[in-house]
Amino acid sequence: MIVADDKIVRFSYSISDEQGQLLESNQGEKAVAYLHGHDNMMPGVEAMLEGKAAGETVEALLPAAQTFGDRQDGLEQRVPVKHLQGATKWQAGMTALVHTEQGPRQVTVLKVGKFMANVDMNYPLSGKTLKFNITILDVRDASDEEIAHGHAHGDGGHQH
């Protein structure tokens, strides 16, 4: 089956910087699943998978605007250290998870004090040209319910 609108696509991926340094991967972990053509995936990733089939591996160098977006100025915030999740001792440059009104968000720690930390709310990979290596594990027709809900259900997708 071919990747097209209203198909559920499951894939594994790795993301590297332009120099080839691995930045993120789900190899050996649970696959990502999404409903193609419903704005559930980064535009550049959706475009590179369009028309491909299960079993194919696709590689592309994508600009920030097609993936995690450009960096935005003025997104530095001061938050209590106790709200940073992911480590017990914090240093500048580390990535933390912070719960916001919009849900969990990865941030970069800029400066740490005893009780407060300055963080950059930009996603850590924003503003970077990135190399995506994606293996399509399977492609299937979306159910009527998945199309109505606008997302994949089940393994790797949304759990109700």
Side-chain angles (χ1 to χ4, degrees):
M1 192 169 285
I2 301 299
V3 176
D5 289 353
D6 297 335
K7 303 292 184 196
I8 301 296
V9 181
R10 287 183 59 247
F11 66 87
S12 62
Y13 71 93
S14 62
I15 303 171
S16 304
D17 62 18
E18 289 182 276
Q19 292 72 41
Q21 180 180 341
L22 182 65
L23 302 173
E24 184 176 305
S25 174
N26 76 335
Q27 300 297 324
E29 299 174 15
K30 187 164 78 168
V32 173
Y34 78 98
L35 176 59
H36 192 82
H38 290 257
D39 297 324
N40 291 324
M41 185 54 58
M42 293 174 259
V45 171
E46 246 193 10
M48 71 186 273
L49 297 181
E50 180 80 27
K52 304 295 189 268
E56 286 190 62
T57 297
V58 185
E59 192 170 274
L61 192 63
L62 300 174
Q66 292 182 11
T67 59
F68 295 102
D70 294 319
R71 294 189 61 73
Q72 297 177 27
D73 293 333
L75 290 184
E76 184 176 317
Q77 290 189 7
R78 208 161 149 75
V79 298
V81 172
K82 67 181 179 181
H83 290 286
L84 301 178
Q85 296 180 351
T88 53
K89 185 172 169 122
W90 294 99
Q91 296 178 355
M94 294 176 76
T95 300
L97 188 66
V98 175
H99 289 280
T100 69
E101 291 176 1
Q102 293 80 33
R105 186 172 188 159
Q106 282 189 337
V107 300
T108 302
V109 177
L110 301 173
K111 182 179 175 185
V112 183
K114 186 171 183 174
F115 299 106
M116 300 295 288
N118 292 5
V119 298
D120 180 353
M121 298 297 286
N122 282 294
Y123 185 75
L125 297 179
S126 65
K128 297 180 180 182
T129 297
L130 300 168
K131 182 178 181 181
F132 283 75
N133 184 298
I134 296 176
T135 300
I136 302 168
L137 302 174
D138 57 68
V139 180
R140 66 171 173 81
D141 290 325
S143 68
D144 291 340
E145 182 180 43
E146 287 171 319
I147 292 170
H149 289 184
H151 57 251
H153 292 169
D155 187 32
H158 187 78
Q159 307 297 324
H160 284 279

